[in-house]
Amino acid sequence: MSINTFGHLFRVTTWGESHGPALGATVDGCPPGVPIDAGAIQHWLDKRKPGQNRYTTQRREADAVQILSGTFEGVTTGTPVQLMIENTDQRSKDYGDIKDKFRPGHADITYFQKYGLRDYRGGGRSSARETAARVAAGGLARAALAALAPTVEIKGYMTRMGAHEIDRSRFYWDQIDQNPFWTPDATAAETWADYLDGLRKSGSSVGAVIEVVARGVPAGLGAPVYGKLDTDLAAAMMSINAVKGVEIGEGMSAAMLTGELNADEITMGPDGPVYSSNHAGGILGGISTGQDIVVRFAVKPTSSILTTRKTITRTGEETEIITKGRHDPCVGIRAVPVGEAMMACVLLDHMLLHRGQIGKNQGQIG
Ligand SMILES: Cc1cc2nc3c(=O)[nH]c(=O)nc-3n(C[C@H](O)[C@H](O)[C@H](O)COP(=O)(O)O)c2cc1C
Protein backbone atom coordinates (compact mmCIF):
# COMPACT_ATOMS: atom_id res chain seq x y z
CA MET A 1 0.00 0.00 0.00
CA SER A 2 1.36 3.38 -0.99
CA ILE A 3 -0.31 6.73 -0.27
CA ASN A 4 0.91 9.76 -2.18
CA THR A 5 -2.45 11.53 -2.37
CA PHE A 6 -4.24 13.83 0.09
CA GLY A 7 -7.57 15.63 0.02
CA HIS A 8 -11.19 14.48 -0.32
CA LEU A 9 -12.48 16.43 -3.33
CA PHE A 10 -9.46 18.61 -4.14
CA ARG A 11 -7.06 15.69 -4.43
CA VAL A 12 -3.33 16.26 -4.69
CA THR A 13 -1.00 13.46 -5.75
CA THR A 14 2.68 14.32 -5.68
CA TRP A 15 5.34 12.37 -7.54
CA GLY A 16 9.10 12.45 -8.11
CA GLU A 17 12.38 12.29 -6.26
CA SER A 18 15.15 14.65 -5.25
CA HIS A 19 17.58 13.60 -7.99
CA GLY A 20 15.21 12.34 -10.69
CA PRO A 21 14.61 14.36 -13.86
CA ALA A 22 11.51 16.11 -12.50
CA LEU A 23 8.85 16.11 -9.81
CA GLY A 24 5.37 17.47 -9.57
CA ALA A 25 1.75 17.24 -8.56
CA THR A 26 -1.34 15.90 -10.26
CA VAL A 27 -4.33 17.82 -8.93
CA ASP A 28 -7.75 16.32 -9.51
CA GLY A 29 -11.01 17.96 -8.46
CA CYS A 30 -10.12 21.60 -9.05
CA PRO A 31 -13.31 23.45 -10.04
CA PRO A 32 -13.50 24.69 -13.64
CA GLY A 33 -13.13 28.33 -14.56
CA VAL A 34 -10.38 29.21 -12.08
CA PRO A 35 -8.04 31.77 -13.69
CA ILE A 36 -4.52 30.34 -13.52
CA ASP A 37 -1.21 30.45 -15.32
CA ALA A 38 2.29 29.23 -14.51
CA GLY A 39 3.29 32.71 -13.30
CA ALA A 40 0.67 32.67 -10.53
CA ILE A 41 2.00 29.34 -9.24
CA GLN A 42 5.61 30.40 -9.72
CA HIS A 43 5.05 33.30 -7.35
CA TRP A 44 4.61 30.86 -4.45
CA LEU A 45 7.36 28.49 -5.60
CA ASP A 46 9.85 31.35 -5.61
CA LYS A 47 9.18 31.78 -1.89
CA ARG A 48 10.29 28.19 -1.22
CA LYS A 49 13.10 28.14 -3.79
CA PRO A 50 16.53 27.16 -2.45
CA GLY A 51 19.57 29.42 -2.56
CA GLN A 52 17.78 32.75 -2.12
CA ASN A 53 19.93 33.90 0.77
CA ARG A 54 22.79 32.58 2.85
CA TYR A 55 20.42 31.00 5.37
CA THR A 56 19.04 28.38 2.98
CA THR A 57 20.64 25.53 1.02
CA GLN A 58 22.86 26.64 -1.84
CA ARG A 59 21.36 24.08 -4.20
CA ARG A 60 20.45 26.24 -7.22
CA GLU A 61 17.07 25.18 -8.51
CA ALA A 62 14.97 27.47 -10.71
CA ASP A 63 11.90 25.50 -9.58
CA ALA A 64 10.22 26.60 -12.80
CA VAL A 65 6.74 25.12 -12.95
CA GLN A 66 5.04 23.94 -16.14
CA ILE A 67 1.30 23.31 -16.39
CA LEU A 68 0.92 20.27 -18.62
CA SER A 69 -2.84 19.73 -18.50
CA GLY A 70 -6.17 20.84 -17.11
CA THR A 71 -6.23 24.44 -18.33
CA PHE A 72 -7.46 26.12 -21.49
CA GLU A 73 -7.33 29.80 -22.40
CA GLY A 74 -6.09 30.77 -18.95
CA VAL A 75 -8.64 28.93 -16.79
CA THR A 76 -8.95 25.45 -15.31
CA THR A 77 -11.20 23.08 -17.23
CA GLY A 78 -12.19 20.84 -14.30
CA THR A 79 -9.93 18.04 -15.57
CA PRO A 80 -6.71 16.92 -13.81
CA VAL A 81 -4.08 19.63 -13.61
CA GLN A 82 -0.57 18.28 -14.06
CA LEU A 83 2.17 20.47 -12.59
CA MET A 84 5.80 19.67 -13.35
CA ILE A 85 9.07 21.07 -12.01
CA GLU A 86 12.36 19.90 -13.52
CA ASN A 87 15.30 19.13 -11.24
CA THR A 88 18.25 20.98 -12.71
CA ASP A 89 20.94 21.12 -10.01
CA GLN A 90 21.28 17.54 -8.81
CA ARG A 91 24.75 16.58 -7.63
CA SER A 92 24.46 12.89 -6.99
CA LYS A 93 28.19 12.57 -6.30
CA ASP A 94 27.64 14.45 -3.03
CA TYR A 95 25.78 11.37 -1.85
CA GLY A 96 28.13 8.55 -2.91
CA ASP A 97 29.49 8.30 0.64
CA ILE A 98 26.06 7.58 2.11
CA LYS A 99 25.17 4.85 -0.38
CA ASP A 100 25.68 2.14 2.21
CA LYS A 101 25.36 4.20 5.40
CA PHE A 102 22.21 5.46 7.07
CA ARG A 103 22.25 9.19 7.91
CA PRO A 104 21.01 9.76 11.49
CA GLY A 105 17.73 11.71 11.57
CA HIS A 106 16.96 10.86 7.93
CA ALA A 107 14.55 8.35 6.45
CA ASP A 108 17.40 6.25 4.97
CA ILE A 109 17.12 3.50 7.54
CA THR A 110 13.33 3.20 7.55
CA TYR A 111 13.02 3.33 3.74
CA PHE A 112 15.60 0.54 3.53
CA GLN A 113 13.92 -1.52 6.26
CA LYS A 114 10.55 -1.15 4.55
CA TYR A 115 11.37 -1.37 0.85
CA GLY A 116 14.66 -3.31 0.87
CA LEU A 117 16.21 -0.67 -1.36
CA ARG A 118 16.43 3.10 -1.49
CA ASP A 119 17.37 5.95 -3.78
CA TYR A 120 20.24 7.32 -1.70
CA ARG A 121 20.71 10.42 -3.89
CA GLY A 122 19.55 13.22 -1.62
CA GLY A 123 17.07 10.98 0.16
CA GLY A 124 15.08 10.19 -3.00
CA ARG A 125 11.37 10.39 -2.30
CA SER A 126 11.90 11.28 1.36
CA SER A 127 13.71 14.47 0.35
CA ALA A 128 12.01 17.80 1.01
CA ARG A 129 12.36 18.54 -2.72
CA GLU A 130 8.92 16.89 -2.72
CA THR A 131 7.54 19.93 -0.92
CA ALA A 132 8.00 21.98 -4.11
CA ALA A 133 5.15 19.92 -5.58
CA ARG A 134 2.95 20.77 -2.58
CA VAL A 135 3.69 24.47 -3.01
CA ALA A 136 2.75 24.25 -6.69
CA ALA A 137 -0.55 22.55 -5.79
CA GLY A 138 -1.05 25.14 -3.06
CA GLY A 139 -0.67 27.89 -5.69
CA LEU A 140 -3.55 26.36 -7.61
CA ALA A 141 -5.59 26.03 -4.40
CA ARG A 142 -4.98 29.69 -3.62
CA ALA A 143 -6.20 30.67 -7.08
CA ALA A 144 -9.36 28.58 -6.59
CA LEU A 145 -9.90 30.09 -3.13
CA ALA A 146 -9.52 33.57 -4.61
CA ALA A 147 -12.30 32.72 -7.05
CA LEU A 148 -14.63 30.93 -4.59
CA ALA A 149 -13.93 32.74 -1.32
CA PRO A 150 -12.05 35.98 -1.96
CA THR A 151 -12.09 36.91 1.74
CA VAL A 152 -9.64 34.11 2.59
CA GLU A 153 -6.07 35.23 3.23
CA ILE A 154 -3.33 32.79 4.26
CA LYS A 155 -0.06 33.83 5.86
CA GLY A 156 2.72 31.80 7.45
CA TYR A 157 5.62 33.06 9.56
CA MET A 158 8.30 31.81 11.92
CA THR A 159 7.71 32.39 15.62
CA ARG A 160 10.73 30.56 17.04
CA MET A 161 14.24 29.62 16.03
CA GLY A 162 15.77 27.30 18.60
CA ALA A 163 15.66 29.00 21.99
CA HIS A 164 14.78 32.38 20.44
CA GLU A 165 11.06 33.17 20.28
CA ILE A 166 9.43 36.26 18.83
CA ASP A 167 8.04 38.94 21.12
CA ARG A 168 4.34 39.20 20.23
CA SER A 169 4.26 42.84 21.32
CA ARG A 170 6.51 43.48 18.29
CA PHE A 171 4.29 41.52 15.87
CA TYR A 172 3.78 43.39 12.58
CA TRP A 173 2.17 41.70 9.56
CA ASP A 174 4.00 43.91 7.11
CA GLN A 175 7.36 42.79 8.55
CA ILE A 176 6.84 39.17 7.48
CA ASP A 177 7.99 39.67 3.89
CA GLN A 178 10.80 42.04 4.88
CA ASN A 179 13.34 39.56 6.28
CA PRO A 180 14.80 36.20 5.23
CA PHE A 181 13.04 34.35 8.07
CA TRP A 182 9.44 35.34 7.32
CA THR A 183 9.07 36.62 10.86
CA PRO A 184 6.74 39.41 12.01
CA ASP A 185 9.26 40.59 14.64
CA ALA A 186 12.05 42.66 13.06
CA THR A 187 14.17 42.53 16.23
CA ALA A 188 13.94 38.74 16.31
CA ALA A 189 15.06 38.69 12.67
CA GLU A 190 18.26 40.50 13.64
CA THR A 191 18.95 38.15 16.55
CA TRP A 192 18.23 35.11 14.40
CA ALA A 193 20.54 36.35 11.63
CA ASP A 194 23.55 36.46 13.98
CA TYR A 195 22.59 33.20 15.65
CA LEU A 196 22.11 31.32 12.37
CA ASP A 197 25.33 32.73 10.87
CA GLY A 198 27.21 31.16 13.77
CA LEU A 199 25.43 27.83 13.37
CA ARG A 200 25.91 27.82 9.60
CA LYS A 201 29.64 28.48 9.86
CA SER A 202 30.08 25.68 12.38
CA GLY A 203 28.06 23.30 10.17
CA SER A 204 25.33 22.92 12.79
CA SER A 205 21.57 23.42 12.60
CA VAL A 206 18.53 24.39 14.65
CA GLY A 207 14.77 23.76 14.83
CA ALA A 208 11.90 26.24 14.45
CA VAL A 209 8.22 26.89 15.02
CA ILE A 210 6.01 28.11 12.18
CA GLU A 211 2.52 29.55 12.58
CA VAL A 212 0.08 29.59 9.67
CA VAL A 213 -3.02 31.77 9.92
CA ALA A 214 -6.01 31.84 7.60
CA ARG A 215 -8.15 34.96 7.89
CA GLY A 216 -11.56 35.53 6.37
CA VAL A 217 -12.54 31.84 6.44
CA PRO A 218 -16.33 31.53 6.65
CA ALA A 219 -17.98 29.63 9.52
CA GLY A 220 -19.10 26.09 8.70
CA LEU A 221 -16.08 24.40 7.09
CA GLY A 222 -15.21 20.95 8.43
CA ALA A 223 -16.76 17.50 8.11
CA PRO A 224 -17.23 15.86 11.54
CA VAL A 225 -16.37 13.49 12.80
CA TYR A 226 -13.56 11.92 10.74
CA GLY A 227 -13.03 14.86 8.43
CA LYS A 228 -12.85 17.57 11.07
CA LEU A 229 -11.09 20.67 9.81
CA ASP A 230 -8.51 20.43 12.60
CA THR A 231 -7.96 16.72 11.91
CA ASP A 232 -7.19 17.36 8.27
CA LEU A 233 -5.05 20.42 8.98
CA ALA A 234 -3.02 18.54 11.58
CA ALA A 235 -2.48 15.63 9.18
CA ALA A 236 -1.51 18.00 6.38
CA MET A 237 1.06 19.85 8.47
CA MET A 238 2.39 16.68 10.08
CA SER A 239 3.03 15.23 6.62
CA ILE A 240 5.61 17.95 5.90
CA ASN A 241 9.22 16.77 6.21
CA ALA A 242 10.84 17.38 9.60
CA VAL A 243 7.58 18.34 11.35
CA LYS A 244 7.40 16.76 14.81
CA GLY A 245 4.51 18.64 16.42
CA VAL A 246 1.31 20.41 15.37
CA GLU A 247 -0.98 22.62 17.43
CA ILE A 248 -4.31 24.29 16.71
CA GLY A 249 -4.99 27.55 18.56
CA GLU A 250 -3.88 27.26 22.19
CA GLY A 251 -2.61 23.75 21.40
CA MET A 252 -0.58 22.02 24.10
CA SER A 253 -0.84 25.11 26.31
CA ALA A 254 -4.60 24.55 26.64
CA ALA A 255 -3.76 21.80 29.11
CA MET A 256 -2.46 24.47 31.49
CA LEU A 257 -5.58 26.67 31.40
CA THR A 258 -8.83 26.60 33.33
CA GLY A 259 -12.19 26.54 31.55
CA GLU A 260 -12.77 30.19 32.40
CA LEU A 261 -9.58 31.18 30.63
CA ASN A 262 -9.78 28.82 27.69
CA ALA A 263 -13.39 28.85 26.42
CA ASP A 264 -13.77 31.86 24.12
CA GLU A 265 -16.82 33.89 25.24
CA ILE A 266 -19.43 34.80 22.64
CA THR A 267 -21.34 38.06 22.29
CA MET A 268 -23.59 39.30 19.49
CA GLY A 269 -22.14 41.87 17.11
CA PRO A 270 -23.81 43.74 14.27
CA ASP A 271 -22.79 41.07 11.75
CA GLY A 272 -23.16 37.96 13.91
CA PRO A 273 -21.29 36.22 16.73
CA VAL A 274 -18.20 37.88 18.19
CA TYR A 275 -15.65 35.89 20.22
CA SER A 276 -13.73 37.47 23.09
CA SER A 277 -10.56 35.51 22.26
CA ASN A 278 -9.38 32.71 19.98
CA HIS A 279 -7.98 29.91 22.12
CA ALA A 280 -9.86 27.48 19.85
CA GLY A 281 -7.79 28.53 16.84
CA GLY A 282 -10.95 29.20 14.86
CA ILE A 283 -12.32 25.66 15.04
CA LEU A 284 -15.03 24.19 17.33
CA GLY A 285 -16.19 20.59 16.95
CA GLY A 286 -14.08 20.30 13.83
CA ILE A 287 -15.98 23.18 12.15
CA SER A 288 -14.64 26.66 11.43
CA THR A 289 -16.10 29.46 13.59
CA GLY A 290 -15.34 32.32 11.23
CA GLN A 291 -12.42 33.45 13.39
CA ASP A 292 -8.82 33.18 12.24
CA ILE A 293 -7.71 29.58 11.76
CA VAL A 294 -4.42 29.26 13.64
CA VAL A 295 -2.11 26.28 13.15
CA ARG A 296 1.40 25.98 14.53
CA PHE A 297 4.01 23.36 13.78
CA ALA A 298 7.45 22.51 15.12
CA VAL A 299 10.23 21.57 12.74
CA LYS A 300 13.21 19.61 13.99
CA PRO A 301 16.79 20.78 13.42
CA THR A 302 18.31 19.81 10.06
CA SER A 303 19.82 16.36 10.48
CA SER A 304 22.58 16.87 7.88
CA ILE A 305 25.31 18.57 9.89
CA LEU A 306 29.07 18.74 9.54
CA THR A 307 29.74 16.87 12.78
CA THR A 308 30.82 13.26 12.73
CA ARG A 309 27.96 11.04 13.91
CA LYS A 310 27.76 7.36 14.73
CA THR A 311 25.71 5.17 12.45
CA ILE A 312 25.59 1.73 10.86
CA THR A 313 25.89 0.35 7.33
CA ARG A 314 23.25 -1.72 5.55
CA THR A 315 25.28 -4.81 6.42
CA GLY A 316 25.11 -3.88 10.10
CA GLU A 317 28.66 -2.60 10.72
CA GLU A 318 29.10 0.34 13.04
CA THR A 319 30.71 3.32 11.37
CA GLU A 320 30.73 7.13 11.34
CA ILE A 321 29.29 9.67 8.94
CA ILE A 322 29.53 13.36 8.08
CA THR A 323 26.72 14.53 5.84
CA LYS A 324 28.19 16.63 3.05
CA GLY A 325 26.10 18.22 0.32
CA ARG A 326 24.14 21.45 0.51
CA HIS A 327 21.71 21.81 3.36
CA ASP A 328 19.47 24.31 5.12
CA PRO A 329 20.84 25.21 8.58
CA CYS A 330 17.22 25.83 9.67
CA VAL A 331 14.64 24.07 7.53
CA GLY A 332 11.92 26.08 9.25
CA ILE A 333 12.58 29.01 6.90
CA ARG A 334 11.64 27.14 3.74
CA ALA A 335 8.88 25.25 5.57
CA VAL A 336 6.87 28.50 5.82
CA PRO A 337 5.54 28.50 2.22
CA VAL A 338 5.00 24.75 2.48
CA GLY A 339 2.76 25.21 5.53
CA GLU A 340 0.85 27.94 3.70
CA ALA A 341 0.35 25.63 0.72
CA MET A 342 -1.00 22.83 2.90
CA MET A 343 -3.40 25.28 4.57
CA ALA A 344 -4.63 26.43 1.14
CA CYS A 345 -5.18 22.86 -0.12
CA VAL A 346 -7.07 21.78 3.02
CA LEU A 347 -9.27 24.90 3.14
CA LEU A 348 -10.21 24.60 -0.53
CA ASP A 349 -10.92 20.90 -0.08
CA HIS A 350 -13.26 21.68 2.84
CA MET A 351 -14.89 24.50 0.95
CA LEU A 352 -15.76 22.06 -1.83
CA LEU A 353 -16.98 19.45 0.68
CA HIS A 354 -19.16 22.05 2.39
CA ARG A 355 -20.55 23.23 -0.94
CA GLY A 356 -21.36 19.62 -1.85
CA GLN A 357 -23.22 18.70 1.32
CA ILE A 358 -24.65 21.96 2.68
CA GLY A 359 -24.24 24.81 0.23
CA LYS A 360 -25.18 27.88 2.28
CA ASN A 361 -24.94 27.50 6.09
CA GLN A 362 -28.33 26.28 7.40
CA GLY A 363 -28.27 27.80 10.90
CA GLN A 364 -28.87 31.56 10.94
CA ILE A 365 -28.09 33.35 14.23
CA GLY A 366 -30.06 36.49 15.09
C1 LIG B 1 11.72 22.84 3.17
C2 LIG B 1 12.51 21.75 3.81
C3 LIG B 1 13.87 21.62 3.51
C4 LIG B 1 14.63 20.61 4.09
N1 LIG B 1 15.97 20.54 3.82
C5 LIG B 1 16.74 19.66 4.50
C6 LIG B 1 18.15 19.67 4.36
O1 LIG B 1 18.70 20.49 3.61
N2 LIG B 1 18.87 18.77 5.06
C7 LIG B 1 18.29 17.89 5.94
O2 LIG B 1 18.99 17.13 6.61
N3 LIG B 1 16.95 17.85 6.10
C8 LIG B 1 16.17 18.70 5.39
N4 LIG B 1 14.81 18.68 5.58
C9 LIG B 1 14.19 17.66 6.46
C10 LIG B 1 14.27 16.26 5.87
O3 LIG B 1 13.66 16.19 4.60
C11 LIG B 1 13.59 15.27 6.84
O4 LIG B 1 14.05 15.48 8.14
C12 LIG B 1 13.91 13.83 6.46
O5 LIG B 1 13.39 13.54 5.18
C13 LIG B 1 13.33 12.81 7.48
O6 LIG B 1 11.94 12.96 7.59
P1 LIG B 1 11.26 13.39 8.99
O7 LIG B 1 12.13 14.41 9.63
O8 LIG B 1 9.92 13.95 8.57
O9 LIG B 1 11.14 12.15 9.82
C14 LIG B 1 14.02 19.69 5.00
C15 LIG B 1 12.66 19.84 5.31
C16 LIG B 1 11.91 20.86 4.74
C17 LIG B 1 10.45 21.03 5.10
Side-chain angles (χ1 to χ4, degrees), residues 278-301:
N278 190 13
H279 296 288
I283 302 172
L284 289 171
I287 301 173
S288 60
T289 60
Q291 291 177 277
D292 290 356
I293 308 271
V294 184
V295 183
R296 214 170 299 107
F297 57 90
V299 172
K300 73 187 191 186

Side-chain angles (χ1 to χ4, degrees), residues 8-26:
H8 305 277
L9 293 183
F10 183 79
R11 288 191 309 282
V12 178
T13 305
T14 70
W15 51 271
E17 291 85 30
S18 171
H19 285 56
L23 50 79
T26 309

Side-chain angles (χ1 to χ4, degrees), residues 52-366:
Q52 297 195 86
N53 55 58
R54 66 179 187 273
Y55 305 108
T56 60
T57 173
Q58 294 307 301
R59 182 169 168 162
R60 297 262 165 218
E61 289 286 357
D63 276 358
V65 68
Q66 297 174 51
I67 304 178
L68 302 185
S69 70
T71 64
F72 181 62
E73 295 183 337
V75 295
T76 55
T77 57
T79 60
V81 179
Q82 178 76 324
L83 304 167
M84 186 180 81
I85 299 157
E86 285 181 28
N87 288 323
T88 55
D89 189 24
Q90 312 99 309
R91 279 198 212 159
S92 302
K93 66 175 169 45
D94 280 347
Y95 296 96
D97 187 42
I98 60 155
K99 188 163 144 321
D100 297 311
K101 298 177 182 177
F102 302 120
R103 293 168 301 168
H106 279 274
D108 303 348
I109 191 163
T110 49
Y111 267 56
F112 182 73
Q113 284 174 308
K114 185 176 176 74
Y115 299 109
L117 53 90
R118 71 186 168 99
D119 177 352
Y120 54 82
R121 302 162 309 163
R125 180 67 180 159
S126 73
S127 162
R129 274 287 304 138
E130 185 271 345
T131 60
R134 299 167 186 240
V135 174
L140 180 60
R142 281 185 187 260
L145 282 170
L148 294 180
T151 52
V152 175
E153 194 194 336
I154 296 167
K155 197 90 186 152
Y157 44 88
M158 264 174 69
T159 61
R160 172 184 285 279
M161 181 187 287
H164 307 283
E165 198 175 7
I166 62 163
D167 178 342
R168 291 209 181 239
S169 70
R170 294 192 299 246
F171 188 118
Y172 295 103
W173 286 99
D174 57 5
Q175 264 304 318
I176 296 171
D177 296 326
Q178 306 297 317
N179 60 76
F181 309 111
W182 313 113
T183 182
D185 176 352
T187 309
E190 285 171 23
T191 311
W192 295 357
D194 290 343
Y195 176 56
L196 202 55
D197 266 334
L199 284 173
R200 190 173 52 83
K201 284 178 193 148
S202 66
S204 188
S205 66
V206 70
V209 174
I210 291 100
E211 193 164 277
V212 184
V213 173
R215 299 195 281 192
V217 177
L221 304 192
V225 288
Y226 297 112
K228 290 179 177 176
L229 187 56
D230 36 4
T231 308
D232 284 354
L233 281 171
M237 300 305 173
M238 192 54 110
S239 75
I240 301 171
N241 305 47
V243 173
K244 297 308 272 185
V246 182
E247 296 184 333
I248 310 283
E250 202 60 45
M252 292 289 175
S253 305
M256 294 183 276
L257 299 181
T258 59
E260 292 84 346
L261 288 175
N262 183 65
D264 308 308
E265 288 189 288
I266 313 169
T267 52
M268 195 62 195
D271 303 318
V274 175
Y275 295 86
S276 61
S277 48
N278 190 13
H279 296 288
I283 302 172
L284 289 171
I287 301 173
S288 60
T289 60
Q291 291 177 277
D292 290 356
I293 308 271
V294 184
V295 183
R296 214 170 299 107
F297 57 90
V299 172
K300 73 187 191 186
T302 320
S303 303
S304 297
I305 48 175
L306 289 177
T307 304
T308 305
R309 310 295 318 276
K310 286 184 190 157
T311 189
I312 56 171
T313 65
R314 46 188 283 188
T315 47
E317 283 122 29
E318 292 187 352
T319 181
E320 291 185 335
I321 191 167
I322 296 182
T323 315
K324 296 190 199 118
R326 297 154 294 170
H327 299 283
D328 290 285
C330 177
V331 301
I333 303 170
R334 289 171 61 235
V336 171
V338 183
E340 291 179 334
M342 296 310 276
M343 173 74 93
C345 290
V346 171
L347 287 183
L348 175 63
D349 191 34
H350 275 277
M351 209 150 269
L352 298 178
L353 283 170
H354 184 68
R355 195 169 69 160
Q357 190 201 11
I358 312 280
K360 193 170 176 293
N361 276 344
Q362 298 297 298
Q364 290 305 312
I365 300 174

